[in-house]
Amino acid sequence: MTKRILLAAAAALALPFPTLAQTAEQVAALRDDALKNDTLAWDLTEGLTTEVGQRLAATEAEKRARDWSVERLTALGFKNVHVETFRMPVWVRGDETAEVVGASAQKLAVTALGNSGSTGPRGVEAEVVYFPTFADLQAAPNGSLKGKIAFISHAMTATQDGSQYGSSGIVRRQGPSLAASKGAAAVLIRSIGTDYHRNPHTGVTSWPKDVKPVAAAALSVPDAEQLERLLKRGPVKLRLLVTPQFKGEAESGNVIADVPGSDPSAGVVLIGGHLDSWDLGTGAIDDASGVAITAAAAKRIMDAGQPRRTIRVVWFGAEEVGGFGGEAYAKAHARERHVLATESDFGADRVWKFTTNLPAGAESISGRLAAALAPLGISQGSEKAHGGTDVGPVLALGVPAIDLEQSGLRYFDYHHTPDDTLDKIDPAQLRQNVAAWTAMLAVVANAPEDIGPVAAVNH
Amino acid sequence: MTKRILLAAAAALALPFPTLAQTAEQVAALRDDALKNDTLAWDLTEGLTTEVGQRLAATEAEKRARDWSVERLTALGFKNVHVETFRMPVWVRGDETAEVVGASAQKLAVTALGNSGSTGPRGVEAEVVYFPTFADLQAAPNGSLKGKIAFISHAMTATQDGSQYGSSGIVRRQGPSLAASKGAAAVLIRSIGTDYHRNPHTGVTSWPKDVKPVAAAALSVPDAEQLERLLKRGPVKLRLLVTPQFKGEAESGNVIADVPGSDPSAGVVLIGGHLDSWDLGTGAIDDASGVAITAAAAKRIMDAGQPRRTIRVVWFGAEEVGGFGGEAYAKAHARERHVLATESDFGADRVWKFTTNLPAGAESISGRLAAALAPLGISQGSEKAHGGTDVGPVLALGVPAIDLEQSGLRYFDYHHTPDDTLDKIDPAQLRQNVAAWTAMLAVVANAPEDIGPVAAVNH
């Protein structure tokens, strides 16, 4: 070691640097206690999914969920617990049936996609036109689907990082409007899912202004493959009845709860998940577990002593149907200084990877984070953190991000189906999530570094 | 070896014993070809579940299945292919919904049990009375359930031999009538199943003459546990709507196809499965695979040269709803000499065990069978073969039996649910079944021994 380096080290030690509120040993102790003993995340997940059940955005059930949340978060000792409401368009499911007619008459398991149009009470009976992929539908001539039911298939493979949701999801998000623009009377897709159960996967589809919504629904994977087998034998005619309704505007809201920090100038650490769910299951993995994990971790930091930075837990409303809660939060809080925004919205299986998007001067946080998370089997990915639907609008303002990524290997077996229920949560893996979030918060909320703005990562 | 034994052995060799039509090597070759190359069982399973779909007894769909079967079995070269019809009472499913009312309002996934009564179109709204086990219901005082909805829970564990279907099944078969006899307005059970999907398991329940049928339905396992969690928090009121109908009598039938033997005096070997299915799935494991396995094996024996004994393949009608097909067959064919009766009605996972009930003088068949089945990973169980619902009435006449037992470890995940579909069939395991049945038929149909009557095994 040269004299020069020694001098530099001595100078660094002498800097008027804020004290690390928690040492690595203290972070480890908080983490390990969560891993061993946390029961709060389970209690919140169990309570919300049992006492409220499904929580479709802007419905009475989502309102009940907000009331439940305010009561629970207040009782847990969070400060400034309140609801910030906003208005949004409401879509509700109606009846939904599909059946093959003719010589192989049989029912198929189907569910409407969010924002689906209606067939009307008499349904649509029409021949099926089959598109093995989205590209095949793109290649179909305009007008060629007039009066037909378009059926777009697309097999999805389970991946640890959930990355196939991007390439598969386009079928659900854009397939119906594209088919409708080519004349389709109704549209069916193979569920965007990786299971073989007869519970179709819902999720939003969207309509450009110049395309009138038609009925758009998902077949379960077994039913999609059944329809493919029938189509191999010859033309198939289906009767589809899907009667959802657009109900105008109604109120949704974000539930907000703070752990006030000791240094208001150090900025807010924003964490959370979404309180709403699809209407088919009880939204256990999507996303009761996310709101529960983040609140349980914040509560552990709160109980360990006041952090430097305020930790704000937001349980967002109306994520599933269009990210209205995230947009509303970013708009209402744009002028507050956020120094981190991160969400949990990918179930409750083990966190296996973390990524960061931290500004110059704050990268040292990554190293402390890596050390704190390694004992949980979590290592750092090389790509930048990009958040999700709820914190996306805040991140777009240049707020730094850290992503704690759960394994997605079974997430799309249950995602947006009736099967998203409490029994899919593994308590041991849920505790590992709480441990990871607790460690992350202990490091970041107490980091002595200033955390400045960053260039947002597109996603 | 003593001189006396040597002489006895020489005498035995000199007996005018019928020649073994197939040597052990030939049996092995037939078995191994099935294991490697069989496609027929898959084709039949795929065809029946795809082209016909569900096949509820005594409905138009079951009639279509019989027509389909006669055409396929005739085309395959079976002789004497025909339908033997019988009449039976018909029960058909109606609407079915269940919802918690009040502060935790939410829908529960429910399906009517076969022979359920109806709530009428307005449903039943009543408080739930919870019975953790059948014994708890037995202990309830008469009249104590007046106007209530009884909920009987009972957790079932997956077992390789499927043995918990006996102890668990009583809840479904006798629970509703017992609760009704104590005044219950309607009855819910936890599905008799081992999965955690929101597809409830149907199956028959029965009503003694002095008990008027009430609505009787199964909750999926996740919903049953949800209801238990709600009941722990306080009284629960449910609204149940179940509107099945008894439709009087209609026609069902057995489909019969023979491989004629060379020695009519040697008796008939009866094999098969059931053609009907429950109405929720497409009846792939229950029991398209069973009819397919047995026909594919018989076809292999037919193609290898005429067997000594006639092999009769029966695809029974109306098994699920009360075993009407098996009863009708036994009545119609009571005077024919059957020397073996055995069925495949436990899915298409690997056969792991065989059992026999063979008479004195024919036990030597067991040894040859053990040798032929061992390479497939199948060994002999110590208990006696007892057949199943379809061949039961024939076995009760003193006909010998051999059971080829499939693994039941995942059978009750799908049994009687919408999830009983083609994708649950593993082609490699299906071929192992055909190999086992082919080996069994090669040994038994060509056995030189006389196969006399036995004492029937109760089950």
Side-chain angles (χ1 to χ4, degrees):
Chain A
M1 199 179 283
T2 67
K3 191 175 176 188
R4 188 171 172 168
I5 290 172
L6 279 171
L7 284 172
L13 285 169
L15 274 175
F17 212 59
T19 314
L20 267 175
Q22 277 155 332
T23 64
E25 289 69 27
Q26 286 172 317
V27 171
L30 284 166
R31 176 197 68 210
D32 294 345
D33 189 65
L35 185 66
K36 192 173 170 191
N37 299 318
D38 190 73
T39 56
L40 179 56
W42 177 267
D43 287 347
L44 291 171
T45 306
E46 193 263 3
L48 184 58
T49 58
T50 301
E51 294 169 21
V52 182
Q54 67 85 16
R55 307 170 294 282
L56 186 65
T59 65
E60 175 274 339
E62 198 200 31
K63 169 69 165 64
R64 272 196 280 135
R66 287 194 294 280
D67 294 345
W68 184 95
S69 303
V70 167
E71 190 181 318
R72 292 300 296 264
L73 289 165
T74 304
L76 287 168
F78 287 93
K79 303 303 178 196
N80 188 32
V81 178
H82 67 285
V83 175
E84 296 182 358
T85 61
F86 52 88
R87 294 187 66 80
M88 53 167 287
V90 188
W91 174 94
V92 294
R93 191 175 304 283
D95 293 327
E96 35 197 33
T97 59
E99 51 194 307
V100 175
V101 296
S104 293
Q106 55 188 287
K107 292 179 184 172
L108 300 177
V110 76
T111 201
L113 299 178
N115 297 329
S116 167
S118 172
T119 59
R122 290 187 305 175
V124 166
E125 187 173 312
E127 196 177 316
V128 174
V129 184
Y130 172 52
F131 300 101
T133 69
F134 188 71
D136 294 308
L137 172 63
Q138 287 177 307
N142 282 332
S144 64
L145 301 181
K146 195 163 167 57
K148 311 284 192 187
I149 296 175
F151 167 44
I152 319 161
S153 201
H154 181 112
M156 181 179 181
T157 298
T159 56
Q160 194 171 13
D161 65 2
S163 51
Q164 285 214 353
Y165 193 44
S167 54
S168 305
I170 194 173
V171 173
R172 189 194 78 212
R173 287 186 288 264
Q174 298 179 29
S177 64
L178 180 58
S181 74
K182 294 170 189 260
V187 187
L188 289 173
I189 66 167
R190 173 180 165 131
S191 279
I192 307 304
T194 51
D195 62 299
Y196 273 85
H197 297 287
R198 293 187 72 203
N199 291 315
H201 297 236
T202 190
V204 284
T205 194
S206 60
W207 308 99
K209 284 205 176 109
D210 59 337
V211 179
K212 186 167 176 278
V214 299
L219 293 168
S220 82
V221 171
D223 290 86
E225 295 192 354
Q226 179 84 336
L227 182 52
E228 288 178 337
R229 284 189 292 271
L230 286 165
L231 286 162
K232 273 188 193 152
R233 286 161 160 88
V236 175
K237 193 176 267 196
L238 277 186
R239 187 180 301 127
L240 179 69
L241 176 82
V242 179
T243 61
Q245 288 183 278
F246 293 98
K247 294 271 203 182
E249 288 218 331
E251 190 171 273
S252 180
N254 297 321
V255 179
I256 295 177
D258 285 348
V259 178
S262 59
D263 181 357
S265 70
V268 171
V269 172
L270 171 67
I271 63 171
H274 65 86
L275 186 58
D276 69 306
S277 75
W278 279 108
D279 53 338
L280 300 172
T282 62
I285 65 166
D286 190 14
D287 184 29
S289 55
V291 303
I293 289 162
T294 50
K299 163 82 172 155
R300 286 181 168 268
I301 299 299
M302 176 167 70
D303 291 350
Q306 190 176 31
R308 180 181 175 213
R309 294 185 172 84
T310 292
I311 297 170
R312 177 166 299 159
V313 180
V314 181
W315 291 1
F316 294 91
E319 188 272 346
E320 293 293 4
V321 292
F324 296 97
E327 294 287 352
Y329 178 86
K331 197 171 163 190
H333 296 268
R335 286 188 293 187
E336 271 176 280
R337 186 185 177 207
H338 291 87
V339 294
L340 187 82
T342 172
E343 66 190 64
S344 176
D345 187 15
F346 200 51
D349 279 354
R350 292 181 69 85
V351 177
W352 63 288
K353 185 166 84 165
F354 80 98
T355 54
T356 67
N357 184 23
L358 292 168
E363 301 98 334
S364 46
I365 292 172
S366 287
R368 297 203 297 282
L369 206 52
L373 296 176
L376 297 173
I378 302 167
S379 58
Q380 188 164 9
S382 56
E383 69 280 22
K384 286 197 172 181
H386 55 65
T389 302
D390 284 316
V391 300
V394 167
L395 296 184
L397 303 172
V399 173
I402 291 171
D403 291 342
L404 296 174
E405 301 188 16
Q406 289 111 339
S407 171
L409 283 169
R410 53 178 201 137
Y411 186 69
F412 291 105
D413 288 355
Y414 311 124
H415 178 248
H416 296 185
T417 75
D419 263 344
D420 180 2
T421 46
L422 182 65
D423 48 278
K424 307 312 180 302
I425 307 283
D426 172 1
Q429 296 195 66
L430 184 69
R431 286 197 302 274
Q432 190 259 11
N433 273 265
V434 178
W437 278 83
T438 300
M440 186 276 283
L441 288 177
V443 168
V444 177
N446 292 307
E449 297 91 339
D450 186 61
I451 305 177
V454 288
V457 178
N458 288 326
H459 68 289
Chain B
M1 202 180 280
T2 66
K3 192 176 175 185
R4 186 171 173 167
I5 290 173
L6 279 172
L7 283 172
L13 286 169
L15 274 176
F17 213 58
T19 314
L20 266 176
Q22 278 153 329
T23 64
E25 289 70 26
Q26 286 171 317
V27 171
L30 284 166
R31 175 197 67 209
D32 294 344
D33 189 65
L35 186 64
K36 193 174 169 191
N37 299 318
D38 190 73
T39 57
L40 179 57
W42 178 266
D43 288 346
L44 291 171
T45 306
E46 193 263 5
L48 184 59
T49 58
T50 300
E51 294 169 22
V52 182
Q54 67 84 15
R55 307 171 293 283
L56 186 66
T59 65
E60 174 275 341
E62 198 201 30
K63 168 70 164 63
R64 273 196 281 136
R66 287 194 295 279
D67 294 345
W68 183 96
S69 303
V70 167
E71 190 182 317
R72 292 299 297 263
L73 290 165
T74 303
L76 287 168
F78 287 93
K79 304 302 179 198
N80 189 30
V81 179
H82 67 285
V83 175
E84 297 182 356
T85 61
F86 51 87
R87 293 188 65 81
M88 53 168 286
V90 188
W91 175 94
V92 294
R93 190 176 305 282
D95 293 327
E96 34 197 37
T97 59
E99 51 194 307
V100 175
V101 296
S104 293
Q106 56 189 286
K107 292 179 183 171
L108 300 177
V110 75
T111 202
L113 300 179
N115 297 329
S116 167
S118 173
T119 59
R122 291 188 305 176
V124 166
E125 187 172 313
E127 194 176 321
V128 175
V129 184
Y130 173 51
F131 299 101
T133 68
F134 187 73
D136 295 307
L137 173 64
Q138 287 177 308
N142 282 333
S144 63
L145 301 181
K146 195 164 168 55
K148 311 284 192 186
I149 297 176
F151 167 44
I152 319 160
S153 203
H154 181 110
M156 181 180 182
T157 298
T159 56
Q160 193 170 15
D161 65 1
S163 50
Q164 284 213 354
Y165 192 45
S167 55
S168 304
I170 193 174
V171 172
R172 189 192 79 213
R173 288 186 289 264
Q174 299 179 29
S177 64
L178 180 58
S181 75
K182 293 170 190 259
V187 186
L188 289 173
I189 66 166
R190 173 180 166 131
S191 279
I192 307 304
T194 51
D195 63 300
Y196 273 86
H197 297 288
R198 294 186 71 202
N199 292 314
H201 296 237
T202 190
V204 283
T205 193
S206 59
W207 307 101
K209 285 209 176 103
D210 58 338
V211 180
K212 187 168 175 281
V214 297
L219 292 168
S220 81
V221 170
D223 290 271
E225 294 192 355
Q226 178 83 335
L227 182 52
E228 288 178 336
R229 284 189 292 270
L230 286 165
L231 286 161
K232 273 187 192 152
R233 286 162 159 87
V236 175
K237 194 175 267 197
L238 277 186
R239 186 180 302 126
L240 179 69
L241 175 82
V242 180
T243 60
Q245 287 183 281
F246 293 97
K247 295 270 203 181
E249 288 217 334
E251 190 171 272
S252 179
N254 296 322
V255 179
I256 295 177
D258 284 350
V259 178
S262 59
D263 181 356
S265 71
V268 171
V269 171
L270 171 67
I271 64 171
H274 64 86
L275 186 59
D276 70 307
S277 76
W278 278 107
D279 53 337
L280 300 173
T282 62
I285 64 166
D286 190 14
D287 184 29
S289 55
V291 302
I293 289 162
T294 50
K299 163 80 172 155
R300 286 181 167 269
I301 299 299
M302 176 168 67
D303 291 349
Q306 189 175 33
R308 180 181 176 211
R309 293 185 173 84
T310 292
I311 298 170
R312 177 167 298 159
V313 180
V314 181
W315 291 1
F316 294 91
E319 188 271 348
E320 293 293 4
V321 293
F324 295 97
E327 294 287 352
Y329 178 86
K331 198 171 163 192
H333 296 267
R335 285 187 294 184
E336 273 174 280
R337 187 188 176 203
H338 292 86
V339 294
L340 187 83
T342 170
E343 68 190 63
S344 176
D345 186 14
F346 201 49
D349 279 354
R350 293 181 69 84
V351 176
W352 63 287
K353 186 167 85 165
F354 80 98
T355 55
T356 67
N357 184 23
L358 292 167
E363 300 99 335
S364 45
I365 291 172
S366 287
R368 295 204 298 282
L369 206 52
L373 295 176
L376 297 174
I378 303 166
S379 59
Q380 188 164 9
S382 57
E383 69 279 25
K384 287 197 173 182
H386 54 65
T389 303
D390 283 315
V391 300
V394 167
L395 297 184
L397 303 173
V399 173
I402 292 172
D403 291 342
L404 296 174
E405 301 189 15
Q406 289 111 338
S407 170
L409 283 169
R410 52 178 203 140
Y411 186 71
F412 291 105
D413 288 354
Y414 312 124
H415 178 250
H416 295 185
T417 76
D419 263 344
D420 180 1
T421 47
L422 182 64
D423 48 279
K424 308 311 179 302
I425 306 283
D426 172 0
Q429 296 194 66
L430 184 69
R431 287 197 302 274
Q432 191 258 12
N433 273 265
V434 178
W437 278 83
T438 300
M440 186 276 282
L441 287 178
V443 168
V444 177
N446 292 306
E449 296 92 339
D450 186 62
I451 306 177
V454 289
V457 178
N458 288 327
H459 67 289

